[in-house]
Amino acid sequence: MAGFTLAPTAAAEGFRLEAHEVVGSTNALALDRARAGDPGRLWIVSKRQESGRGRRGRVWATPQGNLAATLLVVIDGDLKSAATLGFVAGLALADALDAVVPRGRIAVGLDGAGSGRNRFELKWPNDVLASGAKLAGILLESALLGEGRFAVAVGIGVNVVAHPDDLPYPATSLAALGSSCDAEILFLALSDAWSVNERLWNGGNGLSVVRRRWLERAAGLGGEVAVRIDGNVVRGTFETIDEDCRFVIRDESGARLTIAAGDVHFGAVASAGAI
């Protein structure tokens, strides 16, 4: 399909591209390819996705012109290090956005997350924010292939031309931010930035470098935060992410809590108890 292309760096490193006019789910398609024997390093992309998924079974809408991209990674061994590929994806996307979106002033976040340090910030565990609003989401899904091998679908969805307006949190798109960047240009930059950040990650051996770079872009660091965990809400201050990229907060009693999974809210939303 004309339009989508891999960056020369990605092609030289053995990445491949499968582009579609429309798909059900790029993640589902990637896992199907793995079960059929694909060796991985395959990007599956589309500008329209009809049954995209977000975290915790939520729907992820990809109307025509937005970007749905999934990288298929096939690994041997356990999934612990592969689970941190979401942080690699966040960094790669933020780097790509910096490369293709002309410089302009990004306002302080709508929910208190924006710090002004970065135009594009990373919200733990898997969102990219602009102006404090959700611009992109990342979803990792895996499948056991047998003989100790796993397939990991690293799904990246970006609001390029449109964003939903019926969500309980702010969302935005590149078009709403005044950018004319299209899905093809963004993917070209993303495939290049992924290669750079995956080399830093180095099969998990470079996770400390990824963690440091991620914290430099972290939304809400040092500010008020509320985390919903299995129906309960924990409030405190966002201190850091630990060596395994788990979320670390100092709660209202002064205790230090490490959180492996949860929904994070910052600033006014956190303090108002509106979650």
Side-chain angles (χ1 to χ4, degrees):
M1 173 179 132
F4 284 111
T5 56
L6 283 170
T9 49
E13 292 179 6
F15 289 91
R16 295 167 294 123
L17 175 63
E18 179 182 320
H20 297 266
E21 288 283 355
V22 60
V23 295
S25 162
T26 55
N27 267 23
L29 192 52
L31 294 178
D32 286 345
R33 297 287 184 266
R35 294 184 187 103
D38 192 283
R41 298 176 81 76
L42 173 68
W43 281 103
I44 298 177
V45 298
S46 180
K47 291 196 293 184
R48 183 180 172 194
Q49 184 175 234
E50 295 185 330
S51 53
R53 300 188 292 269
R55 290 177 66 236
R56 303 177 186 272
R58 297 165 182 150
V59 172
W60 179 268
T62 309
Q64 183 66 35
N66 282 2
L67 175 63
T70 295
L71 177 64
L72 173 62
V73 180
V74 176
I75 63 170
D76 296 312
D78 67 61
L79 281 173
K80 182 178 179 182
S81 64
T84 60
L85 282 170
F87 295 88
V88 179
L91 283 172
L93 180 55
D95 288 347
L97 287 163
D98 270 343
V100 300
V101 176
R103 288 219 159 259
R105 186 172 180 273
I106 293 294
V108 173
L110 299 176
D111 68 351
S115 67
R117 294 177 303 140
N118 296 291
R119 295 187 303 155
F120 303 102
E121 294 187 315
L122 301 176
K123 179 184 175 187
W124 188 92
N126 63 353
D127 292 343
V128 178
L129 307 182
S131 297
K134 184 168 180 174
L135 176 66
I138 295 161
L139 176 67
L140 269 61
E141 296 182 288
S142 63
L144 176 62
L145 300 178
E147 299 181 351
R149 298 169 66 247
F150 291 89
V152 180
V154 183
I156 302 170
V158 187
N159 298 328
V160 178
V161 300
H163 64 276
D165 56 10
D166 57 351
L167 300 175
Y169 51 82
T172 192
S173 65
L174 290 178
L177 294 169
S179 171
S180 60
C181 177
D182 62 21
E184 291 91 344
I185 291 172
L186 179 56
F187 174 72
L188 180 69
L190 173 61
S191 66
D192 178 61
W194 174 274
S195 296
V196 173
N197 283 280
E198 187 188 61
R199 287 196 298 273
L200 292 175
W201 180 72
N202 188 26
N205 295 314
L207 184 57
S208 62
V209 179
V210 170
R211 173 183 176 272
R212 176 180 54 77
R213 290 201 68 227
W214 193 96
L215 282 168
E216 289 171 356
R217 286 189 178 270
L221 189 64
E224 282 187 272
V225 64
V227 186
R228 181 180 291 277
I229 308 168
D230 296 329
N232 298 314
V233 177
V234 178
R235 303 182 189 279
T237 301
F238 174 21
E239 286 202 340
T240 188
I241 59 173
D242 71 6
E243 62 277 3
D244 293 319
C245 294
R246 295 174 298 185
F247 198 70
V248 179
I249 70 172
R250 185 77 61 177
D251 74 9
E252 295 169 330
S253 71
R256 196 171 190 258
L257 303 178
T258 301
I259 298 166
D263 290 324
V264 172
H265 300 269
F266 295 111
V269 176
S271 60
I275 62 172

